[in-house]
Amino acid sequence: MTEESPFSIQAMELGPMENFVYLVHDHATGRAAVVDPAWDVPAIIRTAEARGVDITDVLLTHSHHDHVNGIQELLDRYDAQIHLLKDEAAFWGHYPDRPTLHHGGDVIRLGKTEIKILHTPGHTPGSACYQLDHHLISGDTLFVFGCGRCDLRGGDPEQMHQTLKRLSTKLPPDTIIHPGHNYAEKTTSTMHEELEGNPFLHFDNPDDFVHYRMHVHDRERRSPYHPVPRDR
Ligand SMILES: [Fe+2]
């Protein structure tokens, strides 16, 4: 018999930009963390109340407006601790009061659930992914069959190439990806599917990746993204 997971991850698609806000529920304690609270905070609260959980933590993947614009409204209702990477706080400059600032590799404990924060620069300097067992909440770093843009302030396509290489070689192939936007034909995938079908994972040469990310991709592809064969 397989052991039951100590947590569950519920996706809420909110706002005009197809953002995914996630509710991570620790079953043992009834505590919950919201990843990237934005857009429709009453919907987040309704989801938490329907589950009977208490929101004690807020996890930020990065500081872009469409991922953080619900923080204050959520804090007005819940006394929650905010977590983000130190590098993103420095980049952002005006983060909410008293966040916990992490380094990549730190483990956040939500009751019995362990959440590892990974530093994944490229979309922003302090972008983070959150790893929970074989799940990865990937923000705007890795989308299903896509990746975050690198042409905004703080973006760096060379770093993105290294980040995606590291994630795709270090994480087990059965890792389930929970992206920051609903840009694909389906809402989640596995790292194995990404290795096969995500064109951004098909480049060994950093210069080729940078050229594709910065000058080719957005002309060639429109969401919803479909898999691209590796041998294209
Ligand atoms: Fe973003």
Side-chain angles (χ1 to χ4, degrees):
M1 218 166 94
T2 54
E3 209 173 296
E4 208 156 285
S5 175
F7 62 86
S8 48
I9 300 174
Q10 183 169 351
M12 295 165 271
E13 186 180 343
L14 301 176
M17 298 169 68
E18 301 162 293
N19 282 81
F20 277 131
V21 175
Y22 293 99
L23 187 76
V24 179
H25 170 192
D26 175 63
H27 300 155
T29 60
R31 285 176 59 181
V34 178
V35 183
D36 290 354
W39 300 113
D40 188 351
V41 173
I44 299 171
I45 294 173
R46 279 198 305 277
T47 302
E49 286 180 342
R51 277 188 166 266
V53 297
D54 186 28
I55 296 172
T56 59
D57 295 80
V58 168
L59 311 177
L60 302 181
T61 64
H62 65 299
S63 59
H64 283 162
H65 179 72
D66 59 313
H67 294 257
V68 303
N69 64 29
I71 289 179
Q72 195 51 56
E73 196 179 339
L74 194 70
L75 291 184
D76 290 344
R77 173 70 167 72
Y78 294 96
D79 182 21
Q81 184 61 44
I82 294 173
H83 303 265
L84 73 158
L85 285 174
K86 200 174 171 214
D87 287 5
E88 190 69 1
F91 168 66
W92 193 3
H94 68 283
Y95 48 85
D97 58 353
R98 304 228 187 151
T100 303
L101 300 182
H102 293 279
H103 296 271
D106 286 359
V107 172
I108 299 163
R109 278 171 226 285
L110 180 76
K112 294 253 187 297
T113 301
E114 291 195 350
I115 304 170
K116 192 171 179 184
I117 182 168
L118 309 179
H119 184 202
T120 55
H123 181 60
T124 62
S127 275
C129 293
Y130 294 95
Q131 187 185 5
L132 306 86
D133 288 350
H134 63 293
H135 295 267
L136 187 77
I137 298 176
S138 58
D140 287 2
T141 297
L142 180 62
F143 299 135
V144 174
F145 307 131
C147 82
R149 52 196 288 191
C150 302
D151 58 338
L152 304 171
R153 189 177 74 88
D156 184 329
E158 286 180 36
Q159 281 189 331
M160 181 64 97
H161 181 245
Q162 287 171 19
T163 285
L164 294 178
K165 267 267 168 289
R166 211 169 52 242
L167 286 178
S168 62
T169 52
K170 294 250 166 77
L171 296 179
D174 66 349
T175 302
I176 296 169
I177 309 301
H178 304 271
H181 291 267
N182 186 11
Y183 285 161
E185 56 180 12
K186 55 184 189 169
T187 55
T188 64
S189 67
T190 64
M191 189 58 87
H192 173 72
E193 289 175 283
E194 292 304 310
L195 280 165
E196 294 302 313
N198 188 325
F200 292 105
L201 299 183
H202 297 168
F203 292 97
D204 284 326
N205 184 314
D207 294 338
D208 293 345
F209 176 92
V210 170
H211 179 70
Y212 180 71
R213 171 68 277 182
M214 301 302 271
H215 305 294
V216 178
H217 176 270
D218 293 2
R219 284 207 318 261
E220 281 195 347
R221 286 176 94 218
R222 290 275 174 273
S223 63
Y225 298 142
H226 302 283
V228 174
R230 186 172 265 278
D231 55 4
R232 178 182 63 131

